[in-house]
Amino acid sequence: MNWTVNPLCDALGAKIEGFDFAAQWSDEEQQKLKDLWLEHGLLLVRGENANPENQIRFSKLFGELEAHPLKTIRSGEFPELMELNSEDSRTNPVAVWDGEEWVGRLGWHKDLIYTAKPNRGAILRAVKLPSVDGQTGYADQAKAYEALPDETKARIDGLKVIYRFEVNLYKMPFLDTSTYVAGPGAPQKPSDVGFPDFPDSRYPLVLEHPETGQKILNVCPMFVDRIDGLPKAESDALLTELVAHVTRSEFAYLHQWQEGDMILWDNWRYMHSAPGVKPGAKRLIHRTTILGDTVLGESV
């Protein structure tokens, strides 16, 4: 192997450097990459020949890819690529946070957690970057579970959590919107952004990873709605406590992008977030999405 592997940061992840995305990877190298992904759940890969074709080829090492259902953000040349473009006002309305205008800010979430079948994972590649801002955050819910007190683990064992699809941030009860002011064009209902009304989904609050067996604290500030079967006051208090825990900085990593960087994450284990960029900033990220063939929850 001509590439090296080191810790991504003190808390989590692995960093692969000297990687050639155009190479013919041996069976040994392919297995090593898959093993690293399962072990760490978050890989930063840097090297040569990072382009759309090679991103797609690299992504297919980890599973079948999804063509995004919204054609407006799908690459015309490569249907497996989603284009996250800060200059596209249709998908990036301006909003105010902490008294400043931002584009593309997203709180902590997992993709499709509001359905019973979230994506297996995804890869982002930095194509065009602003001089400041535009980072991406990742948070390890397996490490968050490990750090819970034993009495909390016993308390939440066997409980179920309900997720609900919303596009109006004010309707997400555990997302902190205290400094948020929706801008013009902010969606009010799913059809505003071309999505259907998904039914609620129910998951184990402590989710067992289907491939590693790790226990995951399955709580995200975006889309989480309630603990199934608990009175509202008790449910709200418990979720407030768990959201505060799972978003602690020691379980998180904020990536400062370099052009060509690819990051692969395990969407069953990790939340991600985006602090956003200022209006007018030019940021383009290409995303490939790895489908999951395992149903982790149920529609309700």
Short mmCIF file of all heavy atoms in Angstrom, two decimals, residues 16-83:
data_model
loop_
_atom_site.label_atom_id
_atom_site.label_comp_id
_atom_site.label_asym_id
_atom_site.label_seq_id
_atom_site.Cartn_x
_atom_site.Cartn_y
_atom_site.Cartn_z
N ILE A 16 -6.49 9.08 5.79
CA ILE A 16 -5.70 8.36 4.80
C ILE A 16 -5.05 9.38 3.88
O ILE A 16 -5.75 10.22 3.29
CB ILE A 16 -6.59 7.39 4.00
CG1 ILE A 16 -7.20 6.33 4.92
CG2 ILE A 16 -5.80 6.74 2.88
CD1 ILE A 16 -8.25 5.47 4.25
N GLU A 17 -3.74 9.32 3.74
CA GLU A 17 -3.02 10.28 2.90
C GLU A 17 -2.18 9.53 1.87
O GLU A 17 -1.80 8.38 2.07
CB GLU A 17 -2.14 11.18 3.76
CG GLU A 17 -2.94 12.07 4.69
CD GLU A 17 -2.06 12.95 5.58
OE1 GLU A 17 -1.39 12.39 6.47
OE2 GLU A 17 -2.06 14.18 5.37
N GLY A 18 -1.91 10.22 0.74
CA GLY A 18 -1.13 9.60 -0.33
C GLY A 18 -1.93 8.62 -1.15
O GLY A 18 -1.36 7.74 -1.81
N PHE A 19 -3.24 8.77 -1.18
CA PHE A 19 -4.11 7.83 -1.88
C PHE A 19 -4.24 8.24 -3.35
O PHE A 19 -4.36 9.42 -3.66
CB PHE A 19 -5.49 7.82 -1.22
CG PHE A 19 -6.36 6.67 -1.63
CD1 PHE A 19 -6.22 5.43 -1.03
CD2 PHE A 19 -7.32 6.82 -2.61
CE1 PHE A 19 -7.02 4.36 -1.40
CE2 PHE A 19 -8.13 5.76 -2.99
CZ PHE A 19 -7.98 4.52 -2.38
N ASP A 20 -4.23 7.26 -4.24
CA ASP A 20 -4.44 7.52 -5.66
C ASP A 20 -5.83 7.04 -6.04
O ASP A 20 -6.09 5.83 -6.11
CB ASP A 20 -3.38 6.80 -6.49
CG ASP A 20 -3.47 7.15 -7.98
OD1 ASP A 20 -4.42 7.86 -8.38
OD2 ASP A 20 -2.60 6.70 -8.74
N PHE A 21 -6.74 7.98 -6.30
CA PHE A 21 -8.12 7.62 -6.62
C PHE A 21 -8.25 7.00 -8.02
O PHE A 21 -9.30 6.45 -8.34
CB PHE A 21 -9.02 8.85 -6.51
CG PHE A 21 -9.23 9.31 -5.09
CD1 PHE A 21 -8.51 10.38 -4.58
CD2 PHE A 21 -10.13 8.66 -4.26
CE1 PHE A 21 -8.70 10.80 -3.28
CE2 PHE A 21 -10.32 9.07 -2.96
CZ PHE A 21 -9.60 10.14 -2.46
N ALA A 22 -7.20 7.10 -8.85
CA ALA A 22 -7.24 6.51 -10.19
C ALA A 22 -6.62 5.12 -10.24
O ALA A 22 -6.64 4.48 -11.29
CB ALA A 22 -6.53 7.43 -11.18
N ALA A 23 -6.07 4.65 -9.14
CA ALA A 23 -5.35 3.39 -9.13
C ALA A 23 -6.29 2.19 -9.25
O ALA A 23 -7.50 2.30 -9.03
CB ALA A 23 -4.53 3.27 -7.85
N GLN A 24 -5.71 1.04 -9.59
CA GLN A 24 -6.43 -0.23 -9.51
C GLN A 24 -6.10 -0.82 -8.15
O GLN A 24 -5.01 -1.34 -7.93
CB GLN A 24 -5.99 -1.16 -10.64
CG GLN A 24 -6.34 -0.66 -12.03
CD GLN A 24 -7.83 -0.47 -12.22
OE1 GLN A 24 -8.63 -1.32 -11.83
NE2 GLN A 24 -8.23 0.66 -12.82
N TRP A 25 -7.04 -0.72 -7.21
CA TRP A 25 -6.76 -1.13 -5.84
C TRP A 25 -6.82 -2.65 -5.72
O TRP A 25 -7.74 -3.30 -6.23
CB TRP A 25 -7.76 -0.47 -4.89
CG TRP A 25 -7.89 0.99 -5.14
CD1 TRP A 25 -6.92 1.94 -5.04
CD2 TRP A 25 -9.07 1.69 -5.57
NE1 TRP A 25 -7.40 3.18 -5.39
CE2 TRP A 25 -8.72 3.06 -5.71
CE3 TRP A 25 -10.38 1.30 -5.86
CZ2 TRP A 25 -9.64 4.03 -6.12
CZ3 TRP A 25 -11.29 2.27 -6.26
CH2 TRP A 25 -10.92 3.61 -6.39
N SER A 26 -5.85 -3.19 -5.01
CA SER A 26 -5.80 -4.64 -4.82
C SER A 26 -6.94 -5.08 -3.90
O SER A 26 -7.56 -4.27 -3.20
CB SER A 26 -4.47 -5.04 -4.20
OG SER A 26 -4.37 -4.54 -2.87
N ASP A 27 -7.21 -6.39 -3.90
CA ASP A 27 -8.22 -6.94 -2.99
C ASP A 27 -7.86 -6.61 -1.54
O ASP A 27 -8.74 -6.31 -0.73
CB ASP A 27 -8.33 -8.45 -3.17
CG ASP A 27 -8.95 -8.84 -4.51
OD1 ASP A 27 -9.53 -7.96 -5.18
OD2 ASP A 27 -8.84 -10.02 -4.89
N GLU A 28 -6.56 -6.66 -1.23
CA GLU A 28 -6.10 -6.36 0.13
C GLU A 28 -6.39 -4.90 0.49
O GLU A 28 -6.87 -4.60 1.59
CB GLU A 28 -4.61 -6.63 0.25
CG GLU A 28 -4.03 -6.33 1.63
CD GLU A 28 -2.52 -6.45 1.67
OE1 GLU A 28 -1.90 -6.73 0.62
OE2 GLU A 28 -1.95 -6.23 2.76
N GLU A 29 -6.14 -3.99 -0.45
CA GLU A 29 -6.39 -2.57 -0.19
C GLU A 29 -7.89 -2.32 -0.03
O GLU A 29 -8.30 -1.55 0.85
CB GLU A 29 -5.83 -1.73 -1.33
CG GLU A 29 -4.33 -1.63 -1.35
CD GLU A 29 -3.83 -0.82 -2.52
OE1 GLU A 29 -4.17 -1.17 -3.68
OE2 GLU A 29 -3.11 0.18 -2.31
N GLN A 30 -8.70 -2.94 -0.88
CA GLN A 30 -10.14 -2.74 -0.77
C GLN A 30 -10.66 -3.23 0.57
O GLN A 30 -11.48 -2.56 1.20
CB GLN A 30 -10.85 -3.47 -1.92
CG GLN A 30 -10.58 -2.88 -3.30
CD GLN A 30 -11.30 -3.61 -4.39
OE1 GLN A 30 -12.47 -3.96 -4.27
NE2 GLN A 30 -10.62 -3.86 -5.51
N GLN A 31 -10.18 -4.37 1.02
CA GLN A 31 -10.62 -4.89 2.31
C GLN A 31 -10.15 -4.00 3.44
O GLN A 31 -10.88 -3.78 4.42
CB GLN A 31 -10.12 -6.32 2.51
CG GLN A 31 -10.73 -7.01 3.73
CD GLN A 31 -12.24 -7.09 3.64
OE1 GLN A 31 -12.79 -7.56 2.64
NE2 GLN A 31 -12.94 -6.61 4.68
N LYS A 32 -8.93 -3.48 3.33
CA LYS A 32 -8.40 -2.57 4.35
C LYS A 32 -9.27 -1.32 4.48
O LYS A 32 -9.59 -0.87 5.59
CB LYS A 32 -6.96 -2.18 4.01
CG LYS A 32 -6.31 -1.19 4.98
CD LYS A 32 -6.10 -1.79 6.35
CE LYS A 32 -5.28 -0.86 7.23
NZ LYS A 32 -5.11 -1.40 8.62
N LEU A 33 -9.69 -0.76 3.35
CA LEU A 33 -10.55 0.41 3.37
C LEU A 33 -11.89 0.11 4.04
O LEU A 33 -12.38 0.89 4.87
CB LEU A 33 -10.79 0.92 1.95
CG LEU A 33 -9.59 1.55 1.24
CD1 LEU A 33 -9.85 1.67 -0.25
CD2 LEU A 33 -9.26 2.91 1.84
N LYS A 34 -12.48 -1.04 3.71
CA LYS A 34 -13.75 -1.41 4.31
C LYS A 34 -13.60 -1.64 5.82
O LYS A 34 -14.46 -1.24 6.61
CB LYS A 34 -14.30 -2.66 3.63
CG LYS A 34 -14.69 -2.44 2.17
CD LYS A 34 -15.05 -3.74 1.47
CE LYS A 34 -15.29 -3.54 -0.01
NZ LYS A 34 -15.55 -4.82 -0.71
N ASP A 35 -12.50 -2.27 6.22
CA ASP A 35 -12.26 -2.51 7.64
C ASP A 35 -12.07 -1.21 8.40
O ASP A 35 -12.57 -1.05 9.53
CB ASP A 35 -11.03 -3.41 7.83
CG ASP A 35 -11.26 -4.84 7.37
OD1 ASP A 35 -12.43 -5.23 7.17
OD2 ASP A 35 -10.26 -5.56 7.19
N LEU A 36 -11.34 -0.26 7.80
CA LEU A 36 -11.13 1.04 8.44
C LEU A 36 -12.45 1.78 8.61
O LEU A 36 -12.69 2.42 9.64
CB LEU A 36 -10.17 1.88 7.61
CG LEU A 36 -8.69 1.50 7.67
CD1 LEU A 36 -7.91 2.23 6.59
CD2 LEU A 36 -8.12 1.83 9.06
N TRP A 37 -13.32 1.68 7.61
CA TRP A 37 -14.62 2.35 7.70
C TRP A 37 -15.45 1.76 8.83
O TRP A 37 -16.05 2.50 9.63
CB TRP A 37 -15.35 2.24 6.36
CG TRP A 37 -16.62 3.05 6.31
CD1 TRP A 37 -16.83 4.27 6.88
CD2 TRP A 37 -17.84 2.69 5.65
NE1 TRP A 37 -18.11 4.70 6.59
CE2 TRP A 37 -18.74 3.77 5.84
CE3 TRP A 37 -18.23 1.60 4.89
CZ2 TRP A 37 -20.04 3.74 5.34
CZ3 TRP A 37 -19.52 1.60 4.37
CH2 TRP A 37 -20.41 2.65 4.59
N LEU A 38 -15.48 0.44 8.92
CA LEU A 38 -16.25 -0.18 10.00
C LEU A 38 -15.67 0.15 11.37
O LEU A 38 -16.41 0.37 12.34
CB LEU A 38 -16.29 -1.69 9.82
CG LEU A 38 -17.29 -2.24 8.81
CD1 LEU A 38 -17.23 -3.76 8.77
CD2 LEU A 38 -18.72 -1.79 9.12
N GLU A 39 -14.35 0.20 11.46
CA GLU A 39 -13.71 0.48 12.74
C GLU A 39 -13.94 1.90 13.20
O GLU A 39 -14.32 2.15 14.36
CB GLU A 39 -12.21 0.20 12.65
CG GLU A 39 -11.45 0.51 13.93
CD GLU A 39 -9.95 0.33 13.80
OE1 GLU A 39 -9.48 -0.11 12.72
OE2 GLU A 39 -9.23 0.66 14.77
N HIS A 40 -13.73 2.86 12.30
CA HIS A 40 -13.74 4.27 12.69
C HIS A 40 -15.06 4.97 12.36
O HIS A 40 -15.41 5.95 13.04
CB HIS A 40 -12.60 5.01 12.01
CG HIS A 40 -11.24 4.52 12.41
ND1 HIS A 40 -10.66 4.85 13.61
CD2 HIS A 40 -10.37 3.70 11.76
CE1 HIS A 40 -9.47 4.26 13.69
NE2 HIS A 40 -9.26 3.57 12.60
N GLY A 41 -15.74 4.55 11.31
CA GLY A 41 -16.99 5.17 10.91
C GLY A 41 -16.85 6.49 10.18
O GLY A 41 -17.82 7.01 9.64
N LEU A 42 -15.61 7.03 10.15
CA LEU A 42 -15.36 8.33 9.52
C LEU A 42 -13.95 8.31 8.95
O LEU A 42 -12.98 8.13 9.71
CB LEU A 42 -15.50 9.46 10.55
CG LEU A 42 -15.26 10.88 10.04
CD1 LEU A 42 -16.37 11.31 9.08
CD2 LEU A 42 -15.18 11.87 11.20
N LEU A 43 -13.84 8.48 7.63
CA LEU A 43 -12.54 8.47 6.97
C LEU A 43 -12.36 9.75 6.15
O LEU A 43 -13.22 10.08 5.32
CB LEU A 43 -12.41 7.28 6.02
CG LEU A 43 -12.54 5.87 6.60
CD1 LEU A 43 -12.37 4.84 5.49
CD2 LEU A 43 -11.55 5.63 7.72
N LEU A 44 -11.25 10.44 6.36
CA LEU A 44 -10.81 11.52 5.48
C LEU A 44 -9.76 10.92 4.55
O LEU A 44 -8.78 10.34 5.02
CB LEU A 44 -10.20 12.67 6.27
CG LEU A 44 -9.38 13.69 5.47
CD1 LEU A 44 -10.23 14.42 4.44
CD2 LEU A 44 -8.70 14.69 6.40
N VAL A 45 -9.99 11.04 3.23
CA VAL A 45 -9.07 10.47 2.25
C VAL A 45 -8.53 11.60 1.39
O VAL A 45 -9.29 12.35 0.76
CB VAL A 45 -9.75 9.41 1.38
CG1 VAL A 45 -8.73 8.67 0.53
CG2 VAL A 45 -10.54 8.42 2.24
N ARG A 46 -7.18 11.72 1.36
CA ARG A 46 -6.51 12.76 0.57
C ARG A 46 -5.51 12.11 -0.37
O ARG A 46 -4.84 11.15 -0.01
CB ARG A 46 -5.77 13.74 1.47
CG ARG A 46 -6.67 14.74 2.16
CD ARG A 46 -5.89 15.67 3.05
NE ARG A 46 -6.74 16.76 3.53
CZ ARG A 46 -6.52 17.44 4.64
NH1 ARG A 46 -5.48 17.16 5.41
NH2 ARG A 46 -7.35 18.40 4.99
N GLY A 47 -5.42 12.66 -1.58
CA GLY A 47 -4.44 12.12 -2.51
C GLY A 47 -4.60 12.70 -3.89
O GLY A 47 -5.01 13.85 -4.07
N GLU A 48 -4.29 11.86 -4.89
CA GLU A 48 -4.26 12.30 -6.29
C GLU A 48 -5.51 11.87 -7.03
O GLU A 48 -6.17 10.89 -6.67
CB GLU A 48 -3.04 11.70 -7.00
CG GLU A 48 -1.71 12.04 -6.38
CD GLU A 48 -0.57 11.33 -7.10
OE1 GLU A 48 -0.70 10.12 -7.38
OE2 GLU A 48 0.44 12.00 -7.37
N ASN A 49 -5.81 12.63 -8.10
CA ASN A 49 -6.83 12.24 -9.08
C ASN A 49 -8.24 12.15 -8.49
O ASN A 49 -9.02 11.25 -8.83
CB ASN A 49 -6.46 10.90 -9.74
CG ASN A 49 -5.14 10.96 -10.48
OD1 ASN A 49 -4.92 11.84 -11.31
ND2 ASN A 49 -4.23 10.05 -10.15
N ALA A 50 -8.57 13.09 -7.64
CA ALA A 50 -9.93 13.17 -7.10
C ALA A 50 -10.79 13.91 -8.12
O ALA A 50 -10.66 15.12 -8.30
CB ALA A 50 -9.93 13.89 -5.76
N ASN A 51 -11.68 13.19 -8.79
CA ASN A 51 -12.56 13.78 -9.79
C ASN A 51 -13.89 13.04 -9.75
O ASN A 51 -14.04 12.05 -9.02
CB ASN A 51 -11.92 13.77 -11.18
CG ASN A 51 -11.57 12.37 -11.66
OD1 ASN A 51 -12.31 11.41 -11.40
ND2 ASN A 51 -10.44 12.22 -12.35
N PRO A 52 -14.90 13.49 -10.51
CA PRO A 52 -16.22 12.83 -10.42
C PRO A 52 -16.20 11.34 -10.71
O PRO A 52 -16.79 10.55 -9.97
CB PRO A 52 -17.05 13.60 -11.45
CG PRO A 52 -16.43 14.95 -11.50
CD PRO A 52 -14.97 14.71 -11.34
N GLU A 53 -15.53 10.93 -11.80
CA GLU A 53 -15.51 9.51 -12.15
C GLU A 53 -14.87 8.68 -11.04
O GLU A 53 -15.39 7.61 -10.67
CB GLU A 53 -14.73 9.29 -13.46
CG GLU A 53 -15.40 9.92 -14.68
CD GLU A 53 -14.87 11.32 -14.99
OE1 GLU A 53 -14.36 11.99 -14.05
OE2 GLU A 53 -14.98 11.73 -16.14
N ASN A 54 -13.76 9.17 -10.49
CA ASN A 54 -13.06 8.40 -9.47
C ASN A 54 -13.78 8.45 -8.13
O ASN A 54 -13.68 7.49 -7.35
CB ASN A 54 -11.63 8.90 -9.34
CG ASN A 54 -10.78 8.51 -10.54
OD1 ASN A 54 -11.08 7.53 -11.23
ND2 ASN A 54 -9.74 9.28 -10.81
N GLN A 55 -14.49 9.53 -7.86
CA GLN A 55 -15.31 9.54 -6.64
C GLN A 55 -16.39 8.46 -6.72
O GLN A 55 -16.63 7.73 -5.75
CB GLN A 55 -15.97 10.90 -6.44
CG GLN A 55 -16.87 10.93 -5.21
CD GLN A 55 -17.50 12.29 -4.95
OE1 GLN A 55 -17.15 13.28 -5.60
NE2 GLN A 55 -18.43 12.36 -4.01
N ILE A 56 -17.03 8.35 -7.87
CA ILE A 56 -18.07 7.32 -8.05
C ILE A 56 -17.46 5.92 -7.92
O ILE A 56 -18.00 5.05 -7.23
CB ILE A 56 -18.78 7.52 -9.39
CG1 ILE A 56 -19.60 8.81 -9.37
CG2 ILE A 56 -19.68 6.33 -9.72
CD1 ILE A 56 -20.10 9.25 -10.74
N ARG A 57 -16.33 5.72 -8.56
CA ARG A 57 -15.68 4.40 -8.52
C ARG A 57 -15.27 4.05 -7.09
O ARG A 57 -15.47 2.92 -6.63
CB ARG A 57 -14.47 4.41 -9.46
CG ARG A 57 -13.88 3.03 -9.75
CD ARG A 57 -12.89 3.11 -10.88
NE ARG A 57 -11.70 3.85 -10.50
CZ ARG A 57 -10.60 3.26 -10.00
NH1 ARG A 57 -10.55 1.95 -9.84
NH2 ARG A 57 -9.55 3.99 -9.69
N PHE A 58 -14.68 5.02 -6.38
CA PHE A 58 -14.27 4.80 -4.99
C PHE A 58 -15.49 4.52 -4.11
O PHE A 58 -15.47 3.61 -3.27
CB PHE A 58 -13.53 6.04 -4.49
CG PHE A 58 -13.06 5.96 -3.06
CD1 PHE A 58 -12.04 5.10 -2.70
CD2 PHE A 58 -13.65 6.76 -2.09
CE1 PHE A 58 -11.62 5.04 -1.36
CE2 PHE A 58 -13.23 6.70 -0.78
CZ PHE A 58 -12.21 5.84 -0.41
N SER A 59 -16.56 5.27 -4.31
CA SER A 59 -17.76 5.12 -3.49
C SER A 59 -18.35 3.72 -3.63
O SER A 59 -18.87 3.15 -2.66
CB SER A 59 -18.81 6.16 -3.88
OG SER A 59 -18.30 7.47 -3.74
N LYS A 60 -18.27 3.16 -4.84
CA LYS A 60 -18.88 1.85 -5.09
C LYS A 60 -18.15 0.72 -4.37
O LYS A 60 -18.68 -0.40 -4.28
CB LYS A 60 -18.94 1.57 -6.59
CG LYS A 60 -20.00 2.39 -7.31
CD LYS A 60 -20.03 2.11 -8.81
CE LYS A 60 -21.16 2.89 -9.48
NZ LYS A 60 -21.19 2.67 -10.96
N LEU A 61 -16.97 0.99 -3.81
CA LEU A 61 -16.31 -0.01 -2.97
C LEU A 61 -17.14 -0.33 -1.74
O LEU A 61 -17.03 -1.42 -1.17
CB LEU A 61 -14.93 0.50 -2.52
CG LEU A 61 -13.84 0.62 -3.56
CD1 LEU A 61 -12.58 1.21 -2.92
CD2 LEU A 61 -13.54 -0.72 -4.20
N PHE A 62 -17.97 0.62 -1.31
CA PHE A 62 -18.65 0.51 -0.02
C PHE A 62 -20.13 0.17 -0.16
O PHE A 62 -20.82 0.00 0.84
CB PHE A 62 -18.47 1.81 0.77
CG PHE A 62 -17.02 2.18 0.94
CD1 PHE A 62 -16.41 3.07 0.07
CD2 PHE A 62 -16.26 1.60 1.94
CE1 PHE A 62 -15.08 3.40 0.21
CE2 PHE A 62 -14.92 1.92 2.08
CZ PHE A 62 -14.33 2.82 1.21
N GLY A 63 -20.62 0.06 -1.39
CA GLY A 63 -22.01 -0.32 -1.58
C GLY A 63 -22.62 0.30 -2.81
O GLY A 63 -22.00 1.08 -3.54
N GLU A 64 -23.87 -0.05 -3.05
CA GLU A 64 -24.62 0.48 -4.19
C GLU A 64 -24.93 1.96 -3.97
O GLU A 64 -25.22 2.38 -2.85
CB GLU A 64 -25.93 -0.30 -4.33
CG GLU A 64 -26.79 0.11 -5.51
CD GLU A 64 -28.10 -0.63 -5.57
OE1 GLU A 64 -28.30 -1.59 -4.77
OE2 GLU A 64 -28.97 -0.26 -6.39
N LEU A 65 -24.87 2.73 -5.04
CA LEU A 65 -25.08 4.17 -4.93
C LEU A 65 -26.51 4.55 -5.32
O LEU A 65 -27.15 3.89 -6.13
CB LEU A 65 -24.10 4.93 -5.82
CG LEU A 65 -22.61 4.67 -5.57
CD1 LEU A 65 -21.77 5.63 -6.39
CD2 LEU A 65 -22.27 4.79 -4.08
N GLU A 66 -26.95 5.65 -4.74
CA GLU A 66 -28.29 6.18 -5.00
C GLU A 66 -28.20 7.38 -5.93
O GLU A 66 -27.34 8.26 -5.73
CB GLU A 66 -28.95 6.62 -3.69
CG GLU A 66 -30.29 7.32 -3.88
CD GLU A 66 -30.76 8.06 -2.63
OE1 GLU A 66 -29.97 8.83 -2.06
OE2 GLU A 66 -31.91 7.85 -2.24
N ALA A 67 -29.07 7.44 -6.92
CA ALA A 67 -29.26 8.67 -7.69
C ALA A 67 -30.29 9.50 -6.94
O ALA A 67 -31.40 9.03 -6.66
CB ALA A 67 -29.76 8.34 -9.09
N HIS A 68 -29.94 10.73 -6.57
CA HIS A 68 -30.83 11.53 -5.73
C HIS A 68 -32.16 11.77 -6.42
O HIS A 68 -32.21 12.06 -7.62
CB HIS A 68 -30.17 12.87 -5.38
CG HIS A 68 -30.81 13.55 -4.22
ND1 HIS A 68 -31.93 14.34 -4.37
CD2 HIS A 68 -30.53 13.54 -2.91
CE1 HIS A 68 -32.30 14.79 -3.18
NE2 HIS A 68 -31.45 14.32 -2.27
N PRO A 69 -33.27 11.65 -5.68
CA PRO A 69 -34.58 11.79 -6.32
C PRO A 69 -34.88 13.19 -6.84
O PRO A 69 -35.72 13.37 -7.72
CB PRO A 69 -35.56 11.40 -5.20
CG PRO A 69 -34.80 11.56 -3.93
CD PRO A 69 -33.37 11.25 -4.26
N LEU A 70 -34.20 14.21 -6.30
CA LEU A 70 -34.44 15.58 -6.77
C LEU A 70 -33.48 15.90 -7.91
O LEU A 70 -32.28 16.10 -7.71
CB LEU A 70 -34.23 16.58 -5.61
CG LEU A 70 -35.22 16.50 -4.46
CD1 LEU A 70 -34.93 17.61 -3.44
CD2 LEU A 70 -36.65 16.61 -4.94
N LYS A 71 -34.01 15.95 -9.12
CA LYS A 71 -33.15 16.18 -10.29
C LYS A 71 -32.50 17.56 -10.26
O LYS A 71 -31.46 17.76 -10.89
CB LYS A 71 -33.98 16.02 -11.57
CG LYS A 71 -34.44 14.58 -11.81
CD LYS A 71 -35.18 14.46 -13.14
CE LYS A 71 -35.61 13.01 -13.39
NZ LYS A 71 -36.33 12.87 -14.67
N THR A 72 -33.10 18.50 -9.53
CA THR A 72 -32.56 19.86 -9.51
C THR A 72 -31.18 19.94 -8.89
O THR A 72 -30.43 20.87 -9.16
CB THR A 72 -33.51 20.80 -8.75
OG1 THR A 72 -33.76 20.26 -7.44
CG2 THR A 72 -34.82 20.98 -9.48
N ILE A 73 -30.82 18.98 -8.02
CA ILE A 73 -29.50 19.01 -7.40
C ILE A 73 -28.63 17.83 -7.84
O ILE A 73 -27.57 17.59 -7.27
CB ILE A 73 -29.59 19.06 -5.86
CG1 ILE A 73 -30.35 17.86 -5.31
CG2 ILE A 73 -30.23 20.35 -5.40
CD1 ILE A 73 -30.35 17.80 -3.79
N ARG A 74 -29.07 17.11 -8.85
CA ARG A 74 -28.31 15.99 -9.38
C ARG A 74 -27.43 16.47 -10.53
O ARG A 74 -27.85 17.29 -11.34
CB ARG A 74 -29.27 14.91 -9.87
CG ARG A 74 -28.62 13.57 -10.20
CD ARG A 74 -29.59 12.67 -10.95
NE ARG A 74 -30.83 12.43 -10.22
CZ ARG A 74 -31.89 11.86 -10.77
NH1 ARG A 74 -31.87 11.49 -12.05
NH2 ARG A 74 -32.97 11.67 -10.05
N SER A 75 -26.20 15.98 -10.59
CA SER A 75 -25.32 16.31 -11.70
C SER A 75 -25.92 15.82 -13.01
O SER A 75 -26.38 14.68 -13.11
CB SER A 75 -23.96 15.66 -11.48
OG SER A 75 -23.18 15.69 -12.66
N GLY A 76 -25.92 16.68 -14.02
CA GLY A 76 -26.47 16.27 -15.30
C GLY A 76 -25.65 15.19 -15.97
O GLY A 76 -26.18 14.30 -16.63
N GLU A 77 -24.35 15.22 -15.78
CA GLU A 77 -23.46 14.26 -16.43
C GLU A 77 -23.34 12.96 -15.64
O GLU A 77 -23.19 11.88 -16.21
CB GLU A 77 -22.06 14.88 -16.59
CG GLU A 77 -21.12 14.04 -17.40
CD GLU A 77 -19.78 14.74 -17.62
OE1 GLU A 77 -19.62 15.87 -17.15
OE2 GLU A 77 -18.90 14.12 -18.27
N PHE A 78 -23.42 13.07 -14.31
CA PHE A 78 -23.23 11.90 -13.45
C PHE A 78 -24.41 11.82 -12.47
O PHE A 78 -24.42 12.51 -11.44
CB PHE A 78 -21.92 12.02 -12.65
CG PHE A 78 -20.70 12.20 -13.50
CD1 PHE A 78 -20.15 13.45 -13.69
CD2 PHE A 78 -20.11 11.11 -14.13
CE1 PHE A 78 -19.02 13.63 -14.47
CE2 PHE A 78 -18.98 11.27 -14.91
CZ PHE A 78 -18.43 12.53 -15.09
N PRO A 79 -25.42 11.01 -12.77
CA PRO A 79 -26.61 10.97 -11.91
C PRO A 79 -26.33 10.51 -10.48
O PRO A 79 -27.11 10.82 -9.58
CB PRO A 79 -27.54 9.99 -12.64
CG PRO A 79 -26.67 9.23 -13.58
CD PRO A 79 -25.55 10.15 -13.95
N GLU A 80 -25.21 9.80 -10.25
CA GLU A 80 -24.89 9.39 -8.88
C GLU A 80 -24.36 10.55 -8.03
O GLU A 80 -24.27 10.42 -6.81
CB GLU A 80 -23.82 8.28 -8.89
CG GLU A 80 -24.22 7.03 -9.65
CD GLU A 80 -23.66 7.01 -11.05
OE1 GLU A 80 -23.45 8.10 -11.63
OE2 GLU A 80 -23.42 5.91 -11.57
N LEU A 81 -24.00 11.65 -8.67
CA LEU A 81 -23.44 12.79 -7.94
C LEU A 81 -24.52 13.81 -7.60
O LEU A 81 -25.29 14.23 -8.47
CB LEU A 81 -22.38 13.50 -8.78
CG LEU A 81 -20.98 12.90 -8.87
CD1 LEU A 81 -20.08 13.82 -9.67
CD2 LEU A 81 -20.39 12.65 -7.50
N MET A 82 -24.56 14.20 -6.35
CA MET A 82 -25.38 15.32 -5.92
C MET A 82 -24.49 16.55 -5.82
O MET A 82 -23.37 16.47 -5.30
CB MET A 82 -26.01 15.01 -4.56
CG MET A 82 -26.95 16.10 -4.05
SD MET A 82 -27.35 15.91 -2.27
CE MET A 82 -27.83 14.21 -2.18
N GLU A 83 -24.96 17.68 -6.30
CA GLU A 83 -24.17 18.91 -6.26
C GLU A 83 -24.71 19.82 -5.15
O GLU A 83 -25.85 20.31 -5.24
CB GLU A 83 -24.23 19.62 -7.62
CG GLU A 83 -23.60 18.81 -8.74
CD GLU A 83 -23.55 19.55 -10.06
OE1 GLU A 83 -24.39 20.46 -10.26
OE2 GLU A 83 -22.67 19.24 -10.88
#
